[in-house]
Amino acid sequence: MPIMNLRAEKLSFAYRPGTLVLEGIDAGFFPGTVTGIFGPNGSGKSTLLRCLTGALSPQHGTVWYGNFRVNALSPREVARSIAVVPQDTPRGIALTAREMVALGRFASGDENPARIAAALSRVGADDMADRRFDELSGGERQRVIIARALAQDAPVLLLDEPATHLDMAHQLEVYRLTRSLAEEGRTVLMTCHDLLLAPLFLDRAILLESGRLAADGPPAEVLVQEHLGRLFGITIEASRSPGLSLTVRLPFQSLPPAAT
Amino acid sequence: MKPRALTLLLAIALFGAAGGTLLLGSVRMPPSEVLMRAWRTMTGHSGWDARDRVLFEIRLPRMVAAASVGTILALAGLASQTLFRNPLATPSVMGVSNGAALGAVATMLVAGARGWDGIVVPIGGFLGGFGAVTVVFALGKRGAFFGHSLLLAGIAIAALCSAMTTGMLYLAGERLQAIVFWLMGGLWQAGGHMALVLLGVALGLLFSLLALARPLNVLLAGETAARDLGVDVPHLQRKLLLLIALASAVAVSLTGVIGFIGLIVPHLLRLVIGGDHRRLIPTTALGGALLLLMADTLVRTLAAPAEIPVGILTAMLGAPVFLWLLRRRDVSGCPS
């Protein structure tokens, strides 16, 4: 069994005393795997990612990176180990896409142009390298931010809803990218709402319900009516596409009737 | 325009403006005379006359002081804009200059005439400026104020400091006129020692910010992202607060409140060469020096032998730019 390089141990976190956003999360993450974190809005997905990077300090429990407590590491040490793609892409930055990606090399201290170019190329953003970050579309900005995280060359990659601003082709590209990064030996975690495409690329799915771990296992066992129906409050049916390994999860009963 | 070409252009323009400052004034001196007097002084010739005194004891220190203060104000503006992630944030807009002025005036009243050219007034200015920048920053950090609100908070701090300064003027007695003239901002009292102090502070600020250029770039991505990318954000913010307060205090204590240099220069240069601090810091230093040198030469010569406080001219240039920016930009974001 591979060694876990990121582990949350009895993790509890509250922004305000008495209101726990995360409660007793126990989970370890392995190199070479892609884990999806699912849950309704406000279930604590992004907060869990922030705790895993040490940006938020849990009231109880510990986050371990190897044998080190993440909160005891300096920001530079964390950045060399864990790269983050945040949910919101910033606006109004007077840098080019290439300069934005170069920020990912800050922790390593070397601004190797070849690595920056390779990161841009990996997300298909070579042609936008010299355009101002400000002037890119939401999806283009998201790809540049992913390239910035790749430029960090960290063994762990955390992505907070990485496909939100992307069209379907680029969503597929990002999911394929997470898969190939895992095959290179990285630990990949992403929060997502996409129950259609994302599960195809996951090794494991985690469900959060009001800050607690509601289910954890292979996507085919976790993303099922029993859990999803309870969490989202609607009937989500899974229908297996004939001839494909694709499982379509949709709230069929809530959909409008087909136009005739 | 390429950054290197712009830097070279600014350096040549600064050299020309510095030369012009030595030639122009109520006593006109042709270039040949300036060169001849400089050569005589360097080769140790005797016969120091009144025109030498005008050149070396008035114009040269004033030229160095103007270029240095311009550099300090422009760099403090750039640092404020990155710290607050707001293109309209400058020490004068955020109330830091007014805080420094309050501290300096209070010290003048307590320290008396000796405070004018001593170290006491800059220390008072530093405490006032540091107090103001810390209050504004703390308001921003608590999340109660950001974007326009943070600017308004800065304006409120500036108004409060200004009201307290005005209140103190009632106690100024016979020093009232001198203090009021000082408050308008100007380089009329620039002497050799003052020019050297300002040059030292300008160079210190320039090299300190150059050393921070890479983390400043990362800070553009936002505090959370900067932390994720490896920057010790609170440590960097403390350094910036200290540098901004120190630079503003020295500039304000020695030359009064000269506004808007810190707004105009970084913003215009950012539009031309982008936001990379490794390029922006040197060009901002040169641009600030050039703008204040030209403004000071103008106020010295427009109504010579009388003099208009340079703060009036920079405010007249800066206020329309400020309004243009306010209209054009989404100031809730970071510098752009």
Side-chain angles (χ1 to χ4, degrees):
Chain A
M1 194 165 181
I3 301 167
M4 282 184 277
N5 60 353
L6 189 66
R7 183 160 52 96
E9 193 179 85
K10 295 185 174 59
L11 202 68
S12 294
F13 178 83
Y15 289 103
R16 283 195 309 273
T19 317
L20 283 177
V21 179
L22 293 176
E23 195 176 344
I25 302 282
D26 260 314
F29 304 98
F30 300 92
T33 59
V34 184
T35 305
I37 304 172
F38 295 83
N41 293 331
S43 57
K45 301 185 296 295
S46 299
T47 305
L48 175 59
L49 289 196
R50 305 306 303 147
C51 284
L52 291 176
T53 64
L56 296 175
S57 299
Q59 278 79 9
H60 300 287
T62 312
V63 176
W64 298 91
Y65 176 74
N67 295 321
F68 301 99
R69 285 170 192 269
V70 164
N71 285 97
L73 298 174
S74 71
R76 198 178 276 257
E77 286 166 330
V78 174
R80 283 190 199 129
S81 316
I82 304 170
V84 182
V85 175
Q87 192 178 123
D88 300 314
T89 52
R91 295 184 68 97
I93 299 178
L95 296 176
T96 62
R98 190 195 309 279
E99 288 166 343
M100 194 66 174
V101 175
L103 302 184
R105 300 297 302 161
F106 174 76
S108 66
D110 89 271
E111 237 175 66
N112 188 329
R115 282 176 189 267
I116 294 164
L120 277 163
S121 173
R122 202 143 184 201
V123 296
D126 324 58
D127 57 334
M128 56 184 90
D130 295 316
R131 284 170 62 195
R132 267 185 63 148
F133 184 73
D134 267 1
E135 293 161 3
L136 302 177
S137 72
E140 289 172 330
R141 280 205 298 272
Q142 184 72 340
R143 282 153 65 199
V144 171
I145 296 296
I146 293 172
R148 187 180 74 188
L150 294 181
Q152 280 178 255
D153 239 347
V156 178
L157 184 66
L158 309 184
L159 304 103
D160 199 355
E161 296 183 25
T164 304
H165 300 283
L166 303 177
D167 58 48
M168 194 172 258
H170 285 111
Q171 282 181 24
L172 272 172
E173 246 176 59
V174 167
Y175 294 143
R176 274 200 209 107
L177 177 65
T178 59
R179 196 62 263 157
S180 69
L181 289 168
E183 279 157 15
E184 288 166 15
R186 298 193 213 210
T187 308
V188 182
L189 268 84
M190 59 177 167
T191 66
C192 40
H193 288 293
D194 171 17
L195 291 169
L196 189 66
L197 291 178
L200 297 174
F201 297 86
L202 300 177
D203 298 296
R204 178 182 171 196
I206 284 178
L207 269 183
L208 286 182
E209 182 179 8
S210 305
R212 280 190 291 267
L213 211 62
D216 182 353
E221 292 172 22
V222 170
L223 303 175
V224 292
Q225 165 60 30
E226 177 200 347
H227 298 305
L228 299 176
R230 189 181 71 250
L231 253 67
F232 294 99
I234 46 174
T235 307
I236 295 177
E237 293 168 49
S239 153
R240 204 170 173 83
S241 167
L244 288 171
S245 60
L246 177 66
T247 302
V248 181
R249 295 173 185 83
L250 283 172
F252 288 105
Q253 290 177 11
S254 311
L255 298 178
T260 53
Chain B
M1 182 182 281
K2 289 200 169 169
R4 275 189 192 166
L6 180 68
T7 309
L8 187 67
L9 193 70
L10 285 170
I12 293 168
L14 181 62
F15 187 75
T21 294
L22 296 178
L23 307 181
L24 298 171
S26 49
V27 177
R28 299 258 162 169
M29 282 191 211
S32 55
E33 186 184 345
V34 171
L35 287 173
M36 184 267 291
R37 287 178 187 278
W39 174 253
R40 270 198 351 198
T41 306
M42 282 190 289
T43 51
H45 275 81
S46 57
W48 188 264
D49 61 20
R51 291 175 75 86
D52 280 319
R53 271 200 279 286
V54 168
L55 187 60
F56 297 114
E57 290 180 6
I58 298 172
R59 287 188 192 170
L60 183 63
R62 186 157 180 161
M63 177 195 85
V64 173
S68 304
V69 174
T71 297
I72 292 170
L73 295 174
L75 288 177
L78 173 62
S80 305
Q81 286 153 24
T82 306
L83 174 67
F84 289 101
R85 300 184 63 246
N86 193 315
L88 298 177
T90 64
S92 55
V93 175
M94 306 304 290
V96 184
S97 301
N98 291 71
L102 173 64
V105 169
T107 316
M108 281 175 201
L109 291 178
V110 175
R114 286 180 62 199
W116 281 100
D117 50 7
I119 190 81
V120 192
V121 172
I123 289 174
F126 171 74
L127 292 176
F130 189 71
V133 76
T134 307
V135 168
V136 175
F137 185 73
L139 290 173
K141 285 290 275 186
R142 290 171 77 91
F145 298 91
F146 55 90
H148 282 89
S149 304
L150 187 63
L151 289 178
L152 294 175
I155 290 163
I157 300 289
L160 181 69
C161 292
S162 182
M164 289 168 76
T165 307
T166 310
M168 282 188 186
L169 293 181
Y170 275 110
L171 309 170
E174 61 194 23
R175 290 190 298 254
L176 177 66
Q177 194 181 354
I179 294 177
V180 168
F181 196 67
W182 168 83
L183 277 174
M184 288 177 193
L187 293 144
W188 47 273
Q189 55 169 344
H193 287 112
M194 182 172 138
L196 284 177
V197 169
L198 288 167
L199 180 64
V201 172
L203 291 175
L205 183 63
L206 173 64
F207 289 115
S208 302
L209 288 179
L210 278 174
L212 296 174
R214 289 191 73 223
L216 285 172
N217 279 349
V218 185
L219 196 58
L220 290 177
E223 281 183 33
T224 310
R227 199 238 175 241
D228 290 339
L229 291 165
V231 174
D232 185 344
V233 175
H235 185 67
L236 176 63
Q237 287 173 331
R238 280 195 296 274
K239 273 188 186 170
L240 287 177
L241 282 174
L242 268 175
L243 285 174
I244 293 165
L246 193 64
S248 306
V250 171
V252 168
S253 308
L254 296 176
T255 61
V257 180
I258 300 173
F260 294 105
I261 299 274
L263 178 77
I264 303 170
V265 176
H267 192 83
L268 292 181
L269 291 172
R270 204 180 280 119
L271 284 177
V272 181
I273 59 163
D276 187 335
H277 286 80
R278 288 169 298 185
R279 300 191 299 255
L280 199 52
I281 290 168
T283 47
T284 297
L286 287 170
L290 177 65
L291 183 61
L292 193 57
L293 204 53
M294 284 166 55
D296 187 54
T297 307
L298 213 58
V299 297
R300 248 176 354 99
T301 49
L302 271 180
E307 184 171 319
I308 307 162
V310 74
I312 293 175
L313 184 66
T314 58
M316 286 171 74
L317 279 174
V321 175
F322 182 85
L323 291 172
W324 172 65
L325 285 177
L326 200 59
R327 188 170 176 273
R328 185 170 174 268
R329 291 286 171 186
D330 168 17
V331 293
S332 63
C334 39
S336 54

